[in-house]
């Protein structure tokens, strides 16, 4: 099928680009460099080990220094344990089976720890993520191959545009009092869909709330297990918690991104530890370990009798571990079968615990950020798929410009919205922003259909405070600078902090207590500018009083979040009108829709106004006297 052949080619291009970038970061780089790039834990200490499935060894390790460095060691990642005495020789590969805080469990492809592991200088490197690419590639190949029964291939044909989705108008609908009218329509659409429904959720419209209620209603209606997936662990965690809060039996496959008792209790590991058969399994494991330890006491150079004894001990341990494997599989099957909802990431939906399971309904949340090849992994397990997300916000990260240009950055959600408008419900009422903050986004991205709920429509930071301001730095000489591959604008950064300080002082003077002080986001599209802004914040004593209320980061980091006040420093200022990836207006849609009560955008109109989007925004703000010149503040 040509459709999937093209996707496979694009995925291959992306894989090559990603692999080259990985090799560039790791080849001939020092441990310190790899650690700084988040690819290595070093040094680490081994805290314990136990035998696991398939006679492999699961080792618990802990990083003992450089704890503040963020890293990419995640559940399911391929890693290598190495000794820095001779890292090219002394190494053994494995897979992360659990990661929490500074501790990690890795299932190594060996049945015993190598001798060199006792000599210190141990580290853990992330290997290139071939597994995710393999899973995506296999899913695309499977989707492209002919199905035995015509109905099995129906969903694939709908999602690729060959067939239209159907709806059962006779479906019994569930009234959900907590939902607004359009949210209820979305739930009705999901319940009546035979194969496809799409919830388009713009910022602040309660997409997650709607989805959770829809999943509850689906379980009532169909009495069938549902698979709920999302591209990121963070999104999966949020849904897992919300669904569990509704009293559903949720099984979280994989490793939560954040540590919380509530989330941990939903994981397979946690549920297994509570299972009635676990005691038996632990006893068997203990027995097997004892046999292995006895076998290891024999030295390498021993006589025939000892050799036989060692062999017998290993054989006994192996036999017991087979029994352990059977018991473990029984526990997993029992837990998986009893769960009403299974949650996982897109790639995690093919975890060995659920690999061969099929579901009546698969829900893909944050589908606007999901790479299409990854979506096919869970889709192939489904008769019916529900997409939820917003293709007018951030698209998935694609490393290859060639692959992105040729369609890999276009999501399955976006394609299906265009192909099957009859399956789409747009959530129109938002509960986050003052209507002036919402207005431009609604006009440009949502056909002016969004409306602000009465509780937020006219909400302002303080009496007399404009909800939206554009502060124009044109003519101020705030020139951008190139730093590596990123752009900075030091003068704009200094100005932004001064402007924010003035606002903070006005809020303080209005008598707001520290505990009730509004939350603030300072956003820049450029990483280097973010570093600069963080540095400026640290050197601003008047702002540091409220440091726990102020977050400084890139646009991407704020997706899904909200703050009372949002400052956006657009950074670009040049005579050529070059705006770089500010031209990605979907990214800007995220930025301008984070604020609840006040949005301040700072930028150079001379550079920005060559773009239709930014010129339109400046005109929009001028319409209600939100336009200001930086000169007003510079002179003041």
């Amino acid at each position: 099928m040509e459709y999937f052949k093209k996707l496979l080619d694009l995925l291959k291009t992306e894989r090559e680009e990603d692999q080259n970038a990985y090799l560039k970061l790791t080849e001939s780089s020092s441990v310190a460099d790899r650690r700084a790039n988040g690819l290595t834990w070093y040094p680490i200490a081994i805290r314990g080990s136990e035998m696991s499935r398939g006679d492999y060894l699961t080792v618990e390790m802990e990083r003992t220094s450089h704890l503040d460095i963020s890293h990419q060691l995640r559940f399911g990642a391929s890693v290598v344990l190495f000794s820095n005495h001779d890292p090219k020789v002394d190494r053994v590969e494995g897979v992360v089976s659990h990661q929490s805080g500074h501790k990690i469990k890795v299932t190594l492809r060996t049945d015993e720890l190598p001798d060199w592991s006792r000599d210190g200088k141990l580290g853990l490197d992330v290997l290139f993520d071939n597994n995710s690419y393999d899973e995506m590639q296999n899913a695309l190949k499977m989707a492209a191959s002919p199905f035995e029964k015509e109905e099995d291939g129906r969903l694939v044909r709908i999602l690729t545009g060959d067939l239209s989705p159907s709806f059962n108008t006779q479906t019994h609908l569930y009234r959900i009092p907590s939902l607004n009218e359009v949210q209820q329509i979305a739930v009705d659409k999901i319940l009546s869909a035979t194969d496809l429904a799409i919830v388009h959720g713009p910022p602040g419209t309660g997409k997650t709330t709607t989805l959770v209620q829809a999943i509850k209603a689906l379980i009532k209606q169909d009495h069938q297990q549902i698979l709920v997936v999302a591209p990121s662990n963070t999104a999966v965690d949020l849904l897992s918690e919300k669904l569990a809060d509704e009293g559903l039996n949720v099984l979280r496959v994989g490793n939560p991104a954040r540590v919380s008792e509530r989330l941990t209790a939903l994981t397979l590991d946690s549920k297994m530890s509570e299972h009635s058969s676990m005691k038996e399994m632990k006893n068997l494991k203990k027995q097997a370990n004892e046999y292995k330890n006895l076998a290891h006491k024999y030295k390498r150079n021993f006589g025939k009798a000892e050799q036989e004894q060692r062999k017998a001990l290993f054989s006994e341990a192996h036999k017991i571990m087979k029994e352990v494997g059977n018991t473990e599989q029984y526990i997993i099957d029992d837990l998986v079968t009893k769960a009403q909802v299974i949650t996982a990431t897109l790639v995690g939906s093919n975890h060995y615990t659920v690999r061969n399971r099929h579901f009546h309904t698969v829900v893909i949340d944050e589908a606007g950020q999901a790479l299409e090849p990854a979506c096919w992994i869970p889709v192939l397990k489904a008769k019916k798929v529900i997409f939820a997300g917003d293709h007018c916000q951030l698209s998935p990260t694609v490393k290859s410009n060639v692959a992105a240009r040729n369609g890999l950055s276009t999501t399955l959600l976006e394609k299906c919205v265009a192909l099957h408008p009859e399956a789409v419900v747009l959530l129109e009422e938002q509960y986050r922003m003052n209507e002036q903050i919402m207005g431009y986004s609604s006009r440009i991205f949502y056909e002016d259909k969004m409306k602000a709920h009465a509780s937020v429509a006219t909400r302002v930071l303080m009496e007399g405070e404009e909800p939206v301001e554009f502060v124009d730095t044109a003519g101020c000489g705030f020139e951008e600078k190139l730093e590596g591959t990123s752009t900075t604008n030091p003068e704009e950064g200094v100005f932004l902090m001064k402007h924010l300080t003035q606002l903070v002082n006005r809020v303080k003077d209005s008598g707001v207590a520290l505990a009730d002080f509004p939350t603030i986001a300072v956003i820049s599209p450029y990483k280097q500018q973010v570093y600069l802004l963080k540095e400026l914040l640290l050197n601003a004593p008047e702002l540091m009083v409220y440091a726990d209320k102020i977050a400084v980061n890139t646009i991407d980091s704020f997706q899904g979040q909200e703050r009372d006040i949002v400052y956006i420093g657009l950074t670009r200022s040049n005579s050529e009108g070059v705006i770089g990836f500010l031209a990605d207006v979907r990214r800007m849609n995220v930025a301008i829709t984070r604020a609840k009560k006040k949005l301040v955008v700072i930028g150079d109109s001379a550079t920005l106004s060559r773009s239709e989007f930014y010129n339109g925004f400046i005109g929009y703000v001028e319409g209600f006297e939100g336009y200001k010149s930086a000169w007003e503040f510079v002179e003041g």
Side-chain angles (χ1 to χ4, degrees), residues 616-629:
F617 178 73
I618 294 165
Y620 170 76
V621 174
E622 281 176 328
F624 44 78
E625 297 177 359
Y627 175 89
K628 307 274 193 294
S629 168

Side-chain angles (χ1 to χ4, degrees), residues 262-325:
R262 186 87 185 91
L263 264 175
T264 304
L266 305 177
T267 62
L268 186 62
D269 283 353
S270 174
K271 292 195 177 207
M272 282 180 76
S273 68
E274 302 288 318
H275 197 276
S276 55
S277 299
M278 198 62 188
K279 195 176 176 186
E280 176 198 343
M281 196 173 103
K282 275 186 176 170
N283 288 335
L284 286 168
K285 268 191 179 179
K286 194 179 170 190
Q287 252 181 294
N289 276 322
E290 281 168 4
Y291 280 122
K292 271 212 154 184
N293 290 337
L294 279 170
H296 285 310
K297 282 181 181 169
Y298 289 97
K299 303 293 177 201
R300 300 282 172 194
N301 48 348
F302 42 67
K304 196 174 180 208
E306 288 92 341
Q307 204 171 359
E308 288 299 320
Q309 182 64 15
R310 177 183 163 101
K311 197 176 168 186
L313 288 166
F314 272 128
S315 173
E316 196 56 41
H318 179 74
K319 216 184 291 175
I320 294 169
M321 281 311 293
K322 211 168 181 184
E323 212 177 315
V324 167

Side-chain angles (χ1 to χ4, degrees), residues 17 125 227 248 283 304 391 401-402 462 520 558:
E17 179 73 25
D125 271 340
L227 174 65
L248 295 172
N283 288 335
K304 196 174 180 208
H391 53 286
N401 291 331
V402 174
M462 297 181 297
I520 301 166
F558 280 106

Side-chain angles (χ1 to χ4, degrees), residues 479-481 483 488-495 529 532 536:
E479 288 292 310
E480 66 180 62
K481 293 175 173 56
E483 289 206 17
T488 64
N489 192 324
E491 288 91 350
E492 185 199 90
V494 170
F495 173 78
Q529 185 72 356
L532 185 142
L536 289 168

